[in-house]
PDB file of all heavy atoms in Angstrom:
ATOM      1  N   MET A   1       0.829  -1.153  -0.010  1.00 63.00           N
ATOM      2  CA  MET A   1       0.048   0.019  -0.010  1.00 63.00           C
ATOM      3  C   MET A   1       0.883   1.303   0.010  1.00 63.00           C
ATOM      4  O   MET A   1       0.552   2.223  -0.674  1.00 63.00           O
ATOM      5  CB  MET A   1      -0.881  -0.067   1.188  1.00 63.00           C
ATOM      6  CG  MET A   1      -1.820   1.192   1.313  1.00 63.00           C
ATOM      7  SD  MET A   1      -2.853   1.142   2.799  1.00 63.00           S
ATOM      8  CE  MET A   1      -1.851   1.999   3.928  1.00 63.00           C
ATOM      9  N   TRP A   2       1.942   1.259   0.783  1.00 59.00           N
ATOM     10  CA  TRP A   2       2.771   2.436   0.881  1.00 59.00           C
ATOM     11  C   TRP A   2       3.536   2.731  -0.422  1.00 59.00           C
ATOM     12  O   TRP A   2       3.618   3.821  -0.921  1.00 59.00           O
ATOM     13  CB  TRP A   2       3.787   2.238   2.033  1.00 59.00           C
ATOM     14  CG  TRP A   2       3.263   2.412   3.353  1.00 59.00           C
ATOM     15  CD1 TRP A   2       3.039   1.427   4.232  1.00 59.00           C
ATOM     16  CD2 TRP A   2       2.632   3.548   3.982  1.00 59.00           C
ATOM     17  NE1 TRP A   2       2.494   1.890   5.341  1.00 59.00           N
ATOM     18  CE2 TRP A   2       2.232   3.199   5.271  1.00 59.00           C
ATOM     19  CE3 TRP A   2       2.577   4.866   3.596  1.00 59.00           C
ATOM     20  CZ2 TRP A   2       1.626   4.133   6.109  1.00 59.00           C
ATOM     21  CZ3 TRP A   2       2.003   5.764   4.518  1.00 59.00           C
ATOM     22  CH2 TRP A   2       1.537   5.359   5.727  1.00 59.00           C
ATOM     23  N   VAL A   3       3.944   1.619  -1.078  1.00 61.00           N
ATOM     24  CA  VAL A   3       4.557   1.798  -2.390  1.00 61.00           C
ATOM     25  C   VAL A   3       3.649   2.331  -3.427  1.00 61.00           C
ATOM     26  O   VAL A   3       3.923   3.241  -4.192  1.00 61.00           O
ATOM     27  CB  VAL A   3       5.161   0.426  -2.849  1.00 61.00           C
ATOM     28  CG1 VAL A   3       5.726   0.531  -4.234  1.00 61.00           C
ATOM     29  CG2 VAL A   3       6.272  -0.022  -1.964  1.00 61.00           C
ATOM     30  N   TYR A   4       2.387   1.909  -3.382  1.00 66.00           N
ATOM     31  CA  TYR A   4       1.350   2.390  -4.287  1.00 66.00           C
ATOM     32  C   TYR A   4       1.102   3.909  -4.102  1.00 66.00           C
ATOM     33  O   TYR A   4       0.978   4.630  -5.063  1.00 66.00           O
ATOM     34  CB  TYR A   4       0.001   1.653  -4.159  1.00 66.00           C
ATOM     35  CG  TYR A   4      -1.080   2.191  -4.912  1.00 66.00           C
ATOM     36  CD1 TYR A   4      -1.125   1.991  -6.279  1.00 66.00           C
ATOM     37  CD2 TYR A   4      -2.102   2.978  -4.271  1.00 66.00           C
ATOM     38  CE1 TYR A   4      -2.174   2.570  -7.085  1.00 66.00           C
ATOM     39  CE2 TYR A   4      -3.107   3.518  -5.103  1.00 66.00           C
ATOM     40  CZ  TYR A   4      -3.251   3.302  -6.441  1.00 66.00           C
ATOM     41  OH  TYR A   4      -4.273   3.892  -7.182  1.00 66.00           O
ATOM     42  N   LEU A   5       1.065   4.283  -2.803  1.00 63.00           N
ATOM     43  CA  LEU A   5       0.872   5.790  -2.532  1.00 63.00           C
ATOM     44  C   LEU A   5       2.089   6.612  -3.002  1.00 63.00           C
ATOM     45  O   LEU A   5       1.914   7.683  -3.447  1.00 63.00           O
ATOM     46  CB  LEU A   5       0.627   5.903  -1.003  1.00 63.00           C
ATOM     47  CG  LEU A   5      -0.653   5.415  -0.537  1.00 63.00           C
ATOM     48  CD1 LEU A   5      -0.702   5.496   1.012  1.00 63.00           C
ATOM     49  CD2 LEU A   5      -1.851   6.078  -1.168  1.00 63.00           C
ATOM     50  N   TRP A   6       3.261   6.032  -2.893  1.00 59.00           N
ATOM     51  CA  TRP A   6       4.388   6.697  -3.316  1.00 59.00           C
ATOM     52  C   TRP A   6       4.390   6.808  -4.908  1.00 59.00           C
ATOM     53  O   TRP A   6       4.892   7.779  -5.497  1.00 59.00           O
ATOM     54  CB  TRP A   6       5.739   6.036  -2.908  1.00 59.00           C
ATOM     55  CG  TRP A   6       6.135   6.500  -1.451  1.00 59.00           C
ATOM     56  CD1 TRP A   6       5.912   5.783  -0.353  1.00 59.00           C
ATOM     57  CD2 TRP A   6       6.710   7.734  -1.110  1.00 59.00           C
ATOM     58  NE1 TRP A   6       6.367   6.534   0.763  1.00 59.00           N
ATOM     59  CE2 TRP A   6       6.891   7.666   0.285  1.00 59.00           C
ATOM     60  CE3 TRP A   6       7.138   8.860  -1.816  1.00 59.00           C
ATOM     61  CZ2 TRP A   6       7.492   8.727   1.057  1.00 59.00           C
ATOM     62  CZ3 TRP A   6       7.692   9.970  -1.070  1.00 59.00           C
ATOM     63  CH2 TRP A   6       7.824   9.792   0.326  1.00 59.00           C
ATOM     64  N   CYS A   7       3.955   5.754  -5.544  1.00 61.00           N
ATOM     65  CA  CYS A   7       3.828   5.776  -6.983  1.00 61.00           C
ATOM     66  C   CYS A   7       2.849   6.840  -7.528  1.00 61.00           C
ATOM     67  O   CYS A   7       3.020   7.207  -8.672  1.00 61.00           O
ATOM     68  CB  CYS A   7       3.519   4.348  -7.493  1.00 61.00           C
ATOM     69  SG  CYS A   7       4.817   3.226  -7.528  1.00 61.00           S
ATOM     70  N   LEU A   8       1.836   7.161  -6.693  1.00 66.00           N
ATOM     71  CA  LEU A   8       0.950   8.165  -7.074  1.00 66.00           C
ATOM     72  C   LEU A   8       1.622   9.563  -7.333  1.00 66.00           C
ATOM     73  O   LEU A   8       1.216  10.331  -8.172  1.00 66.00           O
ATOM     74  CB  LEU A   8      -0.177   8.296  -6.174  1.00 66.00           C
ATOM     75  CG  LEU A   8      -1.232   7.145  -6.049  1.00 66.00           C
ATOM     76  CD1 LEU A   8      -2.193   7.481  -4.941  1.00 66.00           C
ATOM     77  CD2 LEU A   8      -1.965   7.005  -7.354  1.00 66.00           C
ATOM     78  N   LEU A   9       2.698   9.794  -6.571  1.00 65.00           N
ATOM     79  CA  LEU A   9       3.440  11.046  -6.782  1.00 65.00           C
ATOM     80  C   LEU A   9       4.156  10.964  -8.058  1.00 65.00           C
ATOM     81  O   LEU A   9       3.874  11.831  -8.904  1.00 65.00           O
ATOM     82  CB  LEU A   9       4.470  11.191  -5.695  1.00 65.00           C
ATOM     83  CG  LEU A   9       3.945  11.375  -4.283  1.00 65.00           C
ATOM     84  CD1 LEU A   9       5.000  11.460  -3.263  1.00 65.00           C
ATOM     85  CD2 LEU A   9       3.126  12.678  -4.206  1.00 65.00           C
ATOM     86  N   LEU A  10       4.988  10.012  -8.297  1.00 70.00           N
ATOM     87  CA  LEU A  10       5.696   9.822  -9.593  1.00 70.00           C
ATOM     88  C   LEU A  10       6.258   8.463  -9.522  1.00 70.00           C
ATOM     89  O   LEU A  10       6.298   7.765  -8.515  1.00 70.00           O
ATOM     90  CB  LEU A  10       6.913  10.827  -9.726  1.00 70.00           C
ATOM     91  CG  LEU A  10       6.555  12.251 -10.058  1.00 70.00           C
ATOM     92  CD1 LEU A  10       7.794  13.090 -10.027  1.00 70.00           C
ATOM     93  CD2 LEU A  10       5.885  12.410 -11.415  1.00 70.00           C
ATOM     94  N   ILE A  11       6.695   7.958 -10.655  1.00 75.00           N
ATOM     95  CA  ILE A  11       7.228   6.588 -10.713  1.00 75.00           C
ATOM     96  C   ILE A  11       8.522   6.373  -9.978  1.00 75.00           C
ATOM     97  O   ILE A  11       8.762   5.503  -9.265  1.00 75.00           O
ATOM     98  CB  ILE A  11       7.383   6.152 -12.199  1.00 75.00           C
ATOM     99  CG1 ILE A  11       6.072   6.226 -12.992  1.00 75.00           C
ATOM    100  CG2 ILE A  11       7.977   4.849 -12.362  1.00 75.00           C
ATOM    101  CD1 ILE A  11       5.027   5.285 -12.432  1.00 75.00           C
ATOM    102  N   ILE A  12       9.494   7.343 -10.111  1.00 77.00           N
ATOM    103  CA  ILE A  12      10.803   7.271  -9.603  1.00 77.00           C
ATOM    104  C   ILE A  12      10.684   7.212  -8.036  1.00 77.00           C
ATOM    105  O   ILE A  12      11.323   6.285  -7.402  1.00 77.00           O
ATOM    106  CB  ILE A  12      11.700   8.402 -10.024  1.00 77.00           C
ATOM    107  CG1 ILE A  12      11.786   8.419 -11.593  1.00 77.00           C
ATOM    108  CG2 ILE A  12      13.043   8.372  -9.338  1.00 77.00           C
ATOM    109  CD1 ILE A  12      12.362   7.111 -12.157  1.00 77.00           C
ATOM    110  N   PRO A  13       9.851   8.077  -7.348  1.00 77.00           N
ATOM    111  CA  PRO A  13       9.807   7.862  -5.864  1.00 77.00           C
ATOM    112  C   PRO A  13       9.209   6.564  -5.448  1.00 77.00           C
ATOM    113  O   PRO A  13       9.595   6.041  -4.439  1.00 77.00           O
ATOM    114  CB  PRO A  13       8.888   9.029  -5.503  1.00 77.00           C
ATOM    115  CG  PRO A  13       9.022  10.037  -6.499  1.00 77.00           C
ATOM    116  CD  PRO A  13       9.239   9.288  -7.750  1.00 77.00           C
ATOM    117  N   GLY A  14       8.322   6.016  -6.253  1.00 77.00           N
ATOM    118  CA  GLY A  14       7.733   4.721  -5.973  1.00 77.00           C
ATOM    119  C   GLY A  14       8.821   3.658  -6.047  1.00 77.00           C
ATOM    120  O   GLY A  14       8.791   2.632  -5.272  1.00 77.00           O
ATOM    121  N   ILE A  15       9.684   3.674  -7.029  1.00 82.00           N
ATOM    122  CA  ILE A  15      10.711   2.649  -7.215  1.00 82.00           C
ATOM    123  C   ILE A  15      11.706   2.794  -6.015  1.00 82.00           C
ATOM    124  O   ILE A  15      12.089   1.820  -5.467  1.00 82.00           O
ATOM    125  CB  ILE A  15      11.378   2.890  -8.583  1.00 82.00           C
ATOM    126  CG1 ILE A  15      10.529   2.541  -9.690  1.00 82.00           C
ATOM    127  CG2 ILE A  15      12.735   2.073  -8.532  1.00 82.00           C
ATOM    128  CD1 ILE A  15      11.064   2.890 -11.076  1.00 82.00           C
ATOM    129  N   ILE A  16      12.019   4.048  -5.676  1.00 85.00           N
ATOM    130  CA  ILE A  16      13.002   4.254  -4.509  1.00 85.00           C
ATOM    131  C   ILE A  16      12.431   3.657  -3.239  1.00 85.00           C
ATOM    132  O   ILE A  16      13.068   3.046  -2.485  1.00 85.00           O
ATOM    133  CB  ILE A  16      13.345   5.733  -4.418  1.00 85.00           C
ATOM    134  CG1 ILE A  16      14.157   6.127  -5.546  1.00 85.00           C
ATOM    135  CG2 ILE A  16      14.121   5.971  -3.177  1.00 85.00           C
ATOM    136  CD1 ILE A  16      14.353   7.636  -5.767  1.00 85.00           C
ATOM    137  N   LYS A  17      11.129   3.930  -2.952  1.00 85.00           N
ATOM    138  CA  LYS A  17      10.517   3.483  -1.746  1.00 85.00           C
ATOM    139  C   LYS A  17      10.379   2.017  -1.783  1.00 85.00           C
ATOM    140  O   LYS A  17      10.397   1.356  -0.724  1.00 85.00           O
ATOM    141  CB  LYS A  17       9.135   4.209  -1.536  1.00 85.00           C
ATOM    142  CG  LYS A  17       9.387   5.550  -0.855  1.00 85.00           C
ATOM    143  CD  LYS A  17      10.129   5.393   0.427  1.00 85.00           C
ATOM    144  CE  LYS A  17      10.251   6.701   1.126  1.00 85.00           C
ATOM    145  NZ  LYS A  17      10.956   6.647   2.366  1.00 85.00           N
ATOM    146  N   SER A  18      10.040   1.394  -2.993  1.00 87.00           N
ATOM    147  CA  SER A  18       9.910  -0.054  -3.029  1.00 87.00           C
ATOM    148  C   SER A  18      11.253  -0.740  -2.726  1.00 87.00           C
ATOM    149  O   SER A  18      11.253  -1.785  -2.085  1.00 87.00           O
ATOM    150  CB  SER A  18       9.350  -0.429  -4.374  1.00 87.00           C
ATOM    151  OG  SER A  18      10.336  -0.271  -5.344  1.00 87.00           O
ATOM    152  N   ILE A  19      12.305  -0.095  -3.049  1.00 92.00           N
ATOM    153  CA  ILE A  19      13.651  -0.627  -2.767  1.00 92.00           C
ATOM    154  C   ILE A  19      13.845  -0.427  -1.203  1.00 92.00           C
ATOM    155  O   ILE A  19      14.423  -1.334  -0.587  1.00 92.00           O
ATOM    156  CB  ILE A  19      14.732   0.003  -3.593  1.00 92.00           C
ATOM    157  CG1 ILE A  19      14.603  -0.501  -5.080  1.00 92.00           C
ATOM    158  CG2 ILE A  19      16.158  -0.330  -3.046  1.00 92.00           C
ATOM    159  CD1 ILE A  19      15.436   0.208  -6.054  1.00 92.00           C
ATOM    160  N   ALA A  20      13.457   0.668  -0.753  1.00 92.00           N
ATOM    161  CA  ALA A  20      13.720   0.979   0.703  1.00 92.00           C
ATOM    162  C   ALA A  20      12.861   0.023   1.537  1.00 92.00           C
ATOM    163  O   ALA A  20      13.421  -0.377   2.634  1.00 92.00           O
ATOM    164  CB  ALA A  20      13.311   2.419   1.045  1.00 92.00           C
ATOM    165  N   TYR A  21      11.693  -0.424   1.128  1.00 90.00           N
ATOM    166  CA  TYR A  21      10.924  -1.333   1.884  1.00 90.00           C
ATOM    167  C   TYR A  21      11.152  -2.803   1.588  1.00 90.00           C
ATOM    168  O   TYR A  21      10.519  -3.640   2.091  1.00 90.00           O
ATOM    169  CB  TYR A  21       9.467  -1.059   1.614  1.00 90.00           C
ATOM    170  CG  TYR A  21       8.929   0.284   2.031  1.00 90.00           C
ATOM    171  CD1 TYR A  21       7.868   0.967   1.349  1.00 90.00           C
ATOM    172  CD2 TYR A  21       9.430   0.899   3.169  1.00 90.00           C
ATOM    173  CE1 TYR A  21       7.424   2.189   1.804  1.00 90.00           C
ATOM    174  CE2 TYR A  21       8.970   2.222   3.538  1.00 90.00           C
ATOM    175  CZ  TYR A  21       8.028   2.790   2.853  1.00 90.00           C
ATOM    176  OH  TYR A  21       7.486   4.028   3.224  1.00 90.00           O
ATOM    177  N   SER A  22      12.120  -3.127   0.615  1.00 93.00           N
ATOM    178  CA  SER A  22      12.244  -4.438   0.127  1.00 93.00           C
ATOM    179  C   SER A  22      12.723  -5.449   1.098  1.00 93.00           C
ATOM    180  O   SER A  22      12.432  -6.652   0.976  1.00 93.00           O
ATOM    181  CB  SER A  22      13.188  -4.379  -1.103  1.00 93.00           C
ATOM    182  OG  SER A  22      14.465  -4.029  -0.717  1.00 93.00           O
ATOM    183  N   MET A  23      13.378  -5.061   2.155  1.00 94.00           N
ATOM    184  CA  MET A  23      13.907  -6.020   3.149  1.00 94.00           C
ATOM    185  C   MET A  23      12.920  -6.317   4.314  1.00 94.00           C
ATOM    186  O   MET A  23      13.147  -7.183   5.095  1.00 94.00           O
ATOM    187  CB  MET A  23      15.206  -5.454   3.810  1.00 94.00           C
ATOM    188  CG  MET A  23      16.328  -5.287   2.755  1.00 94.00           C
ATOM    189  SD  MET A  23      16.858  -6.829   2.063  1.00 94.00           S
ATOM    190  CE  MET A  23      17.156  -6.418   0.466  1.00 94.00           C
ATOM    191  N   SER A  24      11.781  -5.577   4.236  1.00 93.00           N
ATOM    192  CA  SER A  24      10.828  -5.823   5.367  1.00 93.00           C
ATOM    193  C   SER A  24      10.219  -7.285   5.373  1.00 93.00           C
ATOM    194  O   SER A  24       9.999  -7.780   6.578  1.00 93.00           O
ATOM    195  CB  SER A  24       9.702  -4.775   5.311  1.00 93.00           C
ATOM    196  OG  SER A  24       8.980  -4.892   4.042  1.00 93.00           O
ATOM    197  N   MET A  25      10.048  -7.817   4.250  1.00 93.00           N
ATOM    198  CA  MET A  25       9.521  -9.262   4.285  1.00 93.00           C
ATOM    199  C   MET A  25      10.497 -10.201   4.883  1.00 93.00           C
ATOM    200  O   MET A  25      10.130 -11.065   5.615  1.00 93.00           O
ATOM    201  CB  MET A  25       9.249  -9.678   2.848  1.00 93.00           C
ATOM    202  CG  MET A  25       8.026  -8.932   2.210  1.00 93.00           C
ATOM    203  SD  MET A  25       7.679  -9.545   0.545  1.00 93.00           S
ATOM    204  CE  MET A  25       9.197  -9.117  -0.330  1.00 93.00           C
ATOM    205  N   TYR A  26      11.804  -9.997   4.663  1.00 94.00           N
ATOM    206  CA  TYR A  26      12.844 -10.885   5.154  1.00 94.00           C
ATOM    207  C   TYR A  26      12.975 -10.606   6.671  1.00 94.00           C
ATOM    208  O   TYR A  26      13.304 -11.486   7.447  1.00 94.00           O
ATOM    209  CB  TYR A  26      14.134 -10.564   4.469  1.00 94.00           C
ATOM    210  CG  TYR A  26      14.073 -10.997   3.009  1.00 94.00           C
ATOM    211  CD1 TYR A  26      13.959  -9.991   2.039  1.00 94.00           C
ATOM    212  CD2 TYR A  26      14.070 -12.351   2.584  1.00 94.00           C
ATOM    213  CE1 TYR A  26      13.860 -10.358   0.690  1.00 94.00           C
ATOM    214  CE2 TYR A  26      13.993 -12.709   1.274  1.00 94.00           C
ATOM    215  CZ  TYR A  26      13.843 -11.702   0.317  1.00 94.00           C
ATOM    216  OH  TYR A  26      13.836 -12.040  -0.979  1.00 94.00           O
ATOM    217  N   ILE A  27      12.790  -9.336   7.092  1.00 93.00           N
ATOM    218  CA  ILE A  27      12.904  -9.049   8.572  1.00 93.00           C
ATOM    219  C   ILE A  27      11.762  -9.738   9.270  1.00 93.00           C
ATOM    220  O   ILE A  27      11.998 -10.364  10.313  1.00 93.00           O
ATOM    221  CB  ILE A  27      12.814  -7.589   8.748  1.00 93.00           C
ATOM    222  CG1 ILE A  27      14.048  -6.815   8.182  1.00 93.00           C
ATOM    223  CG2 ILE A  27      12.667  -7.195  10.239  1.00 93.00           C
ATOM    224  CD1 ILE A  27      13.991  -5.323   8.079  1.00 93.00           C
TER     225      ILE A  27
END
């Protein structure tokens, strides 16, 4: 959901945030 909200701003911030959140599943 958070990645989707960031993608609403622009594509690039969505990609950056998806990478920032990418380790949460492993945590």
Side-chain angles (χ1 to χ4, degrees):
M1 180 181 90
W2 288 108
V3 173
Y4 174 73
L5 293 174
W6 277 103
C7 282
L8 287 177
L9 294 175
L10 285 175
I11 300 297
I12 303 300
I15 293 171
I16 292 170
K17 279 302 181 181
S18 69
I19 292 172
Y21 297 149
S22 65
M23 297 296 142
S24 60
M25 293 183 295
Y26 297 103
I27 293 169

